[in-house]
Amino acid sequence: MAIRPILIAGDPRLTTYAVPVAEFDAALAAFVDDLFETNTAAHGAGLAANQVGDPRAVFVYDLNDGGVRHRGHVVNPVLETSAIPETMPDPEDTEGCLSVPGERYPTGRAEWARVTGVDVEGDPVTVEGHGYLARCLQHECDHLAGHLYLDRLIGRNQRAAKKMIKSMGWVEPGNSWLPGSDSDPFGW
């Protein structure tokens, strides 16, 4: 297993639609192990393959929601949600991202989500949840569709994020950080 560098906003690999996985082999299983190790080192709730520069449609999640631990992975995910709010989110309802290190913005998400797909062996998987788990599932599926959570921001939050991206110099490809080696941008 290996901890991989996490790409930062501005890299075009983060805005490219993921490629469906066709080969279910030991290499895929090892890659999923790397995603888990990288996510753990980064203190993340989830990590999509394109965040480490891999084009495959796979993500991992590992989070506590209401005292319940949810941990797993989904290959070739398909997302369903309840209605997504279109109004300004509660200022306390913030979201962060390992590819937007150290930043958090209020982000509207559906209260319920279900993801179907397969595991590393090609067996069917379904993950369903409310609240934080639902947010994570939507966030990771967005990554695989070539979207950062910043794309969902509206109003003043969207304007603030655009200014932040410019001020951080995240307008060029090639920026990344290595969990466990670089300082933790979230202060964990």
Side-chain angles (χ1 to χ4, degrees):
M1 293 190 299
I3 296 173
R4 297 178 179 229
I6 297 174
L7 300 177
I8 295 176
D11 194 295
R13 291 172 286 183
L14 293 170
T15 58
T16 302
Y17 204 85
V19 177
V21 173
E23 290 190 40
F24 297 85
D25 55 14
L28 176 63
F31 176 65
V32 168
D33 287 343
D34 287 355
L35 287 177
F36 274 118
E37 188 170 354
T38 303
N39 186 60
T40 298
H43 306 287
L47 186 65
N50 62 341
Q51 290 183 269
V52 297
D54 190 292
R56 291 177 283 187
V58 58
F59 72 83
V60 299
Y61 60 94
D62 189 353
L63 60 101
N64 283 300
D65 186 14
V68 177
R69 184 175 186 197
H70 302 276
R71 185 177 194 275
H73 68 279
V74 183
V75 180
N76 299 334
V78 175
L79 175 70
E80 286 179 73
T81 69
S82 56
I84 298 172
E86 295 181 17
T87 58
M88 186 65 82
D90 182 321
E92 301 298 314
D93 193 17
T94 63
E95 190 167 318
C97 178
L98 298 176
S99 289
V100 187
E103 303 296 326
R104 296 186 69 81
Y105 292 96
T107 309
R109 292 287 188 181
E111 173 56 29
W112 169 86
R114 175 180 15 209
V115 172
T116 56
V118 295
D119 65 15
V120 293
E121 296 173 354
D123 295 326
V125 170
T126 299
V127 184
E128 182 175 350
H130 292 84
Y132 189 36
L133 177 58
R135 177 180 293 277
C136 178
L137 297 173
Q138 293 168 79
H139 183 107
E140 299 313 322
C141 285
D142 271 359
H143 274 299
L144 298 177
H147 300 289
L148 292 173
Y149 84 104
L150 301 176
D151 299 333
R152 294 211 176 263
L153 302 180
I154 60 175
R156 66 181 171 274
N157 299 320
Q158 183 182 61
R159 290 188 296 277
K162 285 181 180 180
K163 286 180 185 175
M164 177 275 301
I165 291 284
K166 232 177 168 177
S167 72
M168 297 296 279
W170 294 343
V171 293
E172 307 263 337
N175 292 314
S176 66
W177 69 284
L178 185 62
S181 292
D182 294 337
S183 63
D184 187 332
F186 293 97
W188 295 101

